[in-house]
Amino acid sequence: MPLDLYFDAVSPPCRAVMLTCRALDLDVNMKHLDLRKGETKTPEFIAINPQHTLPTLVDGDLKIWESRAICTYLVSQYGKNDSLYPKDPTARVKVDRLLYFEMGTLYKRYAEVVYPVMRGETKEIVPAKLDALYEAMGWLEGYLAGHKWAAGDNITVADFVLVSSVQAFEVNKINLSKFKNIAQWLSNCKLQLKGYDDVCNQVMAMIKKLLEESYSNITLWKD
């Protein structure tokens, strides 16, 4: 039976799972729910995922949310090999470290800058929080030094997760030119990740429009 993936592509975590599915050539029944319309808060969906978050994967009797857990599960369960999520502990921990970094530091700091403005809670960017985001970008710049992909010389789920955040930074006009390694890695992702155009390009254009409508007079650019 095909997998059921509940998603909204405006969400970076959803795009990470979608890229993982493309890399694995999985037969997936895509079930779109509109986050902005509150479609994850219906009784039917809460019965599947009481946290009513996206993405949510249903694989038979198994129901999973939290995007990074979904990505690693899919590779472990359906991958033809372990290249996307290595079994070797030394190689795997490099991937895991980046997944936790993206969740707990990089994307968290981005959310603390952008989401209060998007929700109308404030009309100004907090400079200290923007500085913290650029600090995290600097750490990622260092992590990418010396190899083509996030965790080494091969594509892993860390690339799918990180690129889904960094492409949002690009749309928000964060100054990626300050970070040569990130810029080159992002270019590699756009050109070489399977299904990148289908998963990302159209929705990123829509997100750009939404962001311009939300805070057209605010800039995240730093020289």
Side-chain angles (χ1 to χ4, degrees):
M1 294 181 63
L3 304 165
D4 288 340
L5 178 63
Y6 294 84
F7 79 104
D8 187 339
V10 300
S11 159
C14 289
R15 296 195 298 276
V17 174
M18 294 163 72
L19 287 170
T20 303
C21 291
R22 290 299 188 94
L24 296 169
D25 293 320
L26 293 178
D27 181 12
V28 181
N29 184 20
M30 304 295 290
K31 294 179 173 285
H32 178 256
L33 297 178
D34 193 319
L35 286 166
R36 290 165 294 163
K37 295 180 180 179
E39 292 180 357
T40 63
K41 297 181 180 180
T42 64
E44 293 79 9
F45 185 68
I46 290 174
I48 297 171
N49 174 356
Q51 290 181 229
H52 53 81
T53 56
L54 296 178
T56 294
L57 179 77
V58 178
D59 185 2
D61 293 331
L62 180 65
K63 301 175 179 66
I64 319 171
W65 45 98
E66 300 298 342
S67 60
R68 299 146 196 92
I70 294 173
C71 291
T72 56
Y73 166 77
L74 289 172
V75 175
S76 299
Q77 182 74 298
Y78 296 106
K80 296 180 176 65
N81 54 57
D82 69 340
S83 64
L84 293 175
Y85 190 52
K87 293 179 181 178
D88 174 73
T90 302
R92 174 173 286 198
V93 75
K94 295 177 182 178
V95 176
D96 286 338
R97 179 176 63 85
L98 289 169
L99 298 181
Y100 290 123
F101 166 73
E102 188 275 340
M103 176 179 67
T105 301
L106 185 66
Y107 189 75
K108 180 175 183 290
R109 292 189 179 189
Y110 166 76
E112 289 174 346
V113 172
V114 171
Y115 288 169
V117 179
M118 292 185 67
R119 291 193 294 259
E121 297 168 5
T122 180
K123 294 182 179 180
E124 297 182 355
I125 296 294
V126 178
K129 291 185 176 181
L130 185 60
D131 289 343
L133 173 57
Y134 273 81
E135 179 184 45
M137 294 286 286
W139 292 333
L140 179 60
E141 174 78 358
Y143 300 154
L144 293 173
H147 42 84
K148 183 176 181 178
W149 300 104
D153 295 325
N154 300 309
I155 295 170
T156 67
V157 293
D159 294 291
F160 305 146
V161 169
L162 284 165
V163 78
S164 298
S165 290
V166 173
Q167 63 193 197
F169 302 171
E170 182 182 41
V171 169
N172 269 277
K173 298 183 180 179
I174 289 173
N175 186 3
L176 295 185
S177 65
K178 289 171 64 74
F179 308 104
K180 303 301 183 184
N181 294 333
I182 294 176
Q184 182 58 60
W185 164 81
L186 180 59
S187 176
N188 294 338
C189 290
K190 290 178 178 180
L191 293 172
Q192 297 185 45
L193 294 188
K194 189 171 184 178
Y196 184 95
D197 289 350
D198 292 340
V199 170
C200 302
N201 282 356
Q202 183 175 357
V203 73
M204 294 314 298
M206 181 180 70
I207 291 172
K208 181 179 180 181
K209 182 179 179 181
L210 288 172
L211 294 175
E212 289 172 349
E213 292 172 353
S214 298
Y215 50 91
S216 59
N217 296 324
I218 293 177
T219 179
L220 304 184
W221 185 272
K222 286 183 62 176
D223 291 325

